[in-house]
Amino acid sequence: MSGGRGRKAAILLALALAATAAGWWFDLPGRVGWRESRGEVLTLYGNVDIRQARLGFRVSGRIAEALVDEGDRVEAGQPLARLDAGPAADAVRAAEAQVASLEAVLDKLMAGPRRAEIEQARAAYLERQADFENAQLAYERQNQLRPSGAASQANLDQATAARDMARARVESARAALRLLEDGTRPEDIAAARANLDAARASLAAARTALADTELHAPSAGVILSRVEEPGAIVASGDIVYVLSLEAPVFVRAYVGEPDLGRIRPGMTVEVTNDTEPGRAHRGTVGFVSPVAEFTPKTVETPALRTDLVYRLRIVVDAPDGSLRQGMPVTVRVPRPAAEAGGG
């Protein structure tokens, strides 16, 4: 009898232990901190993700000044470095001179010939006309004297040539006068205007290049790295500074599939870190990945190494600099009001 009772007690003890172990296993996600009870606050874990900007000049040149150093806080638009602006300033002056020259050409074409120029051409035409009339009279005399032998054939030929040349000079002078009276051709004005537009575009490019010799901060932040020093020759796009942006500040967190329905873009969450666990930062869920992935090593727990999760991006409202790049944080998602009321 005592042996039977012992076996029964052992079986009951084994069943009790199995039930306890099963309950502990199914409650493991809450015990390891991945999430709490369904009716409570959902707790997630992630890391701070602060964007960085690698800054450089759009033009090449020699660095004349480096105005900030590593660790300096800068404001948006603040000058960070300057190149030697001499070559760029020379290019601007040359482009300005080219524009001025082509503007004068266009103005001259638009104004057309001056009255004095037209009068000069008319006088030249009248002079050529008079020369022709004189040559014509000389030709006629030689032509009349030739039958009687008073004029040689050579003299007649010379008079004929002189008359023909005078007639050609008259036609040339008449055409020159007509050109001046008609004014500038529209095609010439259009070509001059196009040349001027090209010169103005070159001037704008030169001024842009001059402005690009000064590097400005695109937004407020902290200088992480100063890569180049004054005197260095840099090419276009070479990194001179690395800037950690002050805003926006993101938190990259992950949620398991069972709790995915409790997360939606736009909802408000609380973000805390181990440095100041009692101080909560307000954040907003900005993105929920549509693609599942395995739990990243940086946030996984032993029970979740093979679980599929969904990535979240949480935007921290009004960041104050206390959240640093890569810092592990805890994200608490409050229980929805409807669920709380139903419970």
Side-chain angles (χ1 to χ4, degrees):
M1 293 292 293
S2 60
R5 286 194 298 269
R7 284 194 297 274
K8 291 180 180 180
I11 292 173
L12 292 175
L13 179 60
L15 291 174
L17 290 174
T20 302
W24 183 87
W25 176 259
F26 286 113
D27 192 42
L28 182 58
R31 294 177 180 274
V32 298
W34 183 257
R35 66 182 180 93
E36 297 178 8
S37 167
R38 184 66 179 176
E40 302 297 332
V41 174
L42 175 64
T43 302
L44 308 174
Y45 298 96
N47 296 87
V48 176
D49 187 10
I50 298 177
R51 292 183 177 178
Q52 299 177 2
R54 293 173 173 81
L55 308 179
F57 294 97
R58 288 203 302 182
V59 295
S60 59
R62 179 177 60 83
I63 297 179
E65 295 180 276
L67 305 176
V68 294
D69 209 339
E70 295 176 355
D72 290 347
R73 187 184 181 281
V74 298
E75 298 292 340
Q78 178 177 335
L80 304 180
R82 295 187 180 94
L83 296 177
D84 178 10
D90 293 341
V92 169
R93 285 191 290 270
E96 288 174 342
Q98 181 68 10
V99 168
S101 174
L102 293 177
E103 284 177 343
V105 171
L106 180 59
D107 291 342
K108 180 180 178 180
L109 293 175
M110 293 290 293
R114 293 175 295 177
R115 180 176 298 277
E117 293 173 332
I118 295 176
E119 294 301 327
Q120 184 182 29
R122 181 175 287 110
Y125 166 69
L126 294 176
E127 180 182 359
R128 297 294 181 269
Q129 183 67 30
D131 291 341
F132 169 70
E133 292 174 356
N134 186 44
Q136 180 67 24
L137 291 175
Y139 165 76
E140 291 176 354
R141 279 195 302 268
Q142 293 295 325
N143 191 43
Q144 292 173 357
L145 294 174
R146 179 69 184 104
S148 63
S152 66
Q153 184 64 37
N155 290 339
L156 178 61
D157 293 341
Q158 185 177 2
T160 302
R163 181 200 62 179
D164 293 341
M165 287 188 293
R167 181 186 291 116
R169 285 192 289 268
V170 168
E171 295 300 326
S172 176
R174 181 185 292 116
L177 176 60
R178 186 179 299 115
L179 283 175
L180 291 176
E181 289 175 339
D182 291 343
T184 307
R185 294 174 57 184
E187 296 84 354
D188 293 338
I189 295 176
R193 184 174 286 113
N195 291 335
L196 178 57
D197 290 341
R200 285 171 174 168
S202 297
L203 175 58
R207 287 172 174 168
T208 299
L210 177 60
D212 286 339
T213 59
E214 188 167 283
L215 181 63
H216 296 84
S219 61
V222 176
I223 299 296
L224 291 183
S225 178
R226 174 168 153 172
V227 181
E228 300 290 352
E229 296 297 326
I233 303 297
V234 294
S236 173
D238 285 353
I239 298 174
V240 178
Y241 286 104
V242 178
L243 175 66
S244 176
L245 303 184
E246 186 177 89
V249 173
F250 299 117
V251 170
R252 186 188 300 267
Y254 299 85
V255 61
E257 185 175 3
D259 295 311
L260 185 60
R262 298 182 61 178
I263 303 295
R264 65 184 183 278
M267 69 186 311
T268 301
V269 299
E270 290 184 352
V271 179
T272 58
N273 59 70
D274 295 339
T275 303
E276 299 175 292
R279 180 184 179 188
H281 298 267
R282 176 175 172 169
T284 304
V285 177
F287 168 76
V288 180
S289 174
V291 180
E293 56 187 282
F294 287 104
T295 311
K297 296 293 183 182
T298 54
V299 297
E300 73 177 5
T301 59
L304 296 168
R305 288 185 179 132
T306 59
D307 284 2
L308 289 175
V309 294
Y310 294 84
R311 178 166 54 92
L312 308 179
R313 185 179 67 188
I314 298 165
V315 183
V316 177
D317 300 340
D320 56 6
S322 62
L323 298 177
R324 305 300 179 105
Q325 172 67 30
M327 177 182 288
V329 293
T330 301
V331 179
R332 291 183 174 85
V333 182
R335 182 184 181 189
E339 184 179 330

